[in-house]
Amino acid sequence: MGIFQDISTFWTQSFPPKSKFSVGQIPDLTNRVYIVTGGSGGVGYETVKALLAHNAKVYIAARNKAQIKTAIETLKAATGKEALGLELDLSSLVSVRRAAKEFLSKERELHVLFNNAGVMTPPINMVTADGYDLQFGTNVVGHFYFGELLMPALLAGKETSPDGHARIITTASGAAYLAGPLNWDVFVDGPARVGFGISKLYYQSKSANVIVARHIAQRYADKGILSMSCNPGNLKSGLQRYVSFFERWVNVILLWPVSYGALTQLWGGLMPETIQYNGQFLIPWARVGRAPEYTYEPE
């Protein structure tokens, strides 16, 4: 029953009801600091745009300096506010350490970390600098390590947050429902990983996002740090750059505009009512849902 229920849930979330939340409901964010990984494009760009429009101080953390610069310029034209850049390559733990150190040298506080960046179905030969599968290393390991290194700033940020909490919002995916229990043999490079298949590796990374977000919620709940994961929805974004021509054609029918994808993570990261959802899985558009059942298993 479990896997069939998960697939059914995946499809119902692909066609969500109209959102009751809009970016117009976001409160004033003056004097608060945010990081959005992958903020130079797609859902991350839309998230940064909404934050800037409400007077936040926002760092765009991405690996391509030219794309960061372009995003800062276009966002300034759109909002009148200027984001800041932070070079971050999540597929290199050296780069993660360097980016965290740079941020901590500039800011004492961080109010919300949006773990938004991701890679989907790249060529199978692509691995991280540390030998992990590229999707698992980028989507999961890099983000987890970045959050741990930034914990001093998050703990300081909760002290000046109106609700007394700082937050980590991790962008997972409805693909988590297609993963099944984690296969620990495929997260580092080797024959098991190559034989597993690139799409299933992506599903596993998104499942791991949900599990790690729940773990962070449990680890830091008594310290005022909230952690949630979310399914941003099926979206027309740069994440599809590696998919086939047929998949691109199907996506025209099934995918929503990328602006919709920012709604759920903004809701989880900014709105007072979501304090009660620590450790939970948020679903399109700005609702709380139930993650795949195996993600709740303590082991």
Side-chain angles (χ1 to χ4, degrees):
M1 181 69 179
I3 187 63
F4 295 107
Q5 181 63 50
D6 286 340
I7 292 173
S8 174
T9 302
F10 168 76
W11 279 108
T12 60
Q13 290 181 25
S14 298
F15 304 97
K18 183 177 180 180
S19 178
K20 295 179 181 179
F21 169 74
S22 70
V23 294
Q25 297 169 29
I26 296 172
D28 180 64
L29 304 175
T30 300
N31 297 324
R32 275 174 267 172
V33 183
Y34 302 83
I35 294 176
V36 182
T37 69
S40 59
V43 176
Y45 180 93
E46 295 295 330
T47 299
V48 175
K49 184 178 179 181
L51 294 170
L52 289 173
H54 291 84
N55 304 312
K57 186 175 187 179
V58 189
Y59 284 81
I60 295 175
R63 64 184 177 183
N64 188 308
K65 289 191 288 186
Q67 290 180 4
I68 293 173
K69 183 175 183 292
T70 299
I72 289 172
E73 291 170 352
T74 57
L75 284 163
K76 186 174 183 179
T79 68
K81 309 292 173 56
E82 189 165 354
L84 299 163
L86 183 66
E87 188 176 356
L88 168 68
D89 181 356
L90 288 161
S91 70
S92 164
L93 297 184
V94 170
S95 176
V96 172
R97 285 194 293 271
R98 186 185 302 119
K101 183 178 180 180
E102 180 182 344
F103 177 83
L104 292 172
S105 73
K106 296 177 178 179
E107 303 289 345
R108 192 183 76 85
E109 299 175 340
L110 176 61
H111 294 90
V112 181
L113 169 61
F114 288 96
N115 284 332
N116 164 85
V119 61
M120 182 175 77
T121 61
I124 192 68
N125 65 324
M126 297 182 72
V127 296
T128 74
D130 306 283
Y132 293 104
D133 171 72
L134 184 64
Q135 296 175 106
F136 182 71
T138 300
N139 300 350
V140 186
V141 178
H143 273 133
F144 171 73
Y145 190 39
F146 195 45
E148 289 292 291
L149 293 173
L150 293 174
M151 195 54 64
L154 287 162
L155 291 169
K158 73 164 188 176
E159 300 298 333
T160 56
S161 176
D163 59 25
H165 294 84
R167 308 187 191 199
I168 300 175
I169 307 298
T170 299
T171 306
S173 169
Y177 292 102
L178 308 178
L182 297 183
N183 183 335
W184 298 97
D185 295 330
V186 302
F187 294 139
V188 294
D189 198 22
R193 170 186 165 274
V194 174
F196 196 67
I198 201 68
S199 292
K200 288 197 289 183
L201 287 166
Y202 176 70
Y203 304 158
Q204 290 263 298
S205 78
K206 294 290 100 179
S207 174
N209 278 149
V210 177
I211 293 167
V212 172
R214 283 179 55 78
H215 169 76
I216 293 170
Q218 293 164 358
R219 177 183 285 193
Y220 294 107
D222 62 348
K223 296 180 174 61
I225 307 298
L226 304 178
S227 171
M228 298 162 232
S229 58
C230 69
N231 172 14
N234 298 344
L235 309 166
K236 300 172 184 176
S237 76
L239 202 60
Q240 277 79 37
R241 61 185 174 274
Y242 292 117
V243 302
S244 68
F245 174 80
F246 174 74
E247 289 170 316
R248 289 177 189 272
W249 182 80
V250 171
N251 287 345
V252 171
I253 302 170
L254 295 180
L255 300 188
W256 297 82
V258 72
S259 59
Y260 283 70
L263 290 175
T264 303
Q265 58 195 46
L266 287 165
W267 181 64
L270 304 175
M271 301 307 289
E273 64 268 25
T274 55
I275 289 175
Q276 63 187 306
Y277 300 135
N278 190 30
Q280 297 301 305
F281 185 59
L282 310 182
I283 62 175
W285 312 113
R287 299 178 293 154
V288 65
R290 180 81 178 169
E293 289 305 313
Y294 57 82
T295 64
Y296 296 93
E297 297 171 0
E299 62 272 24

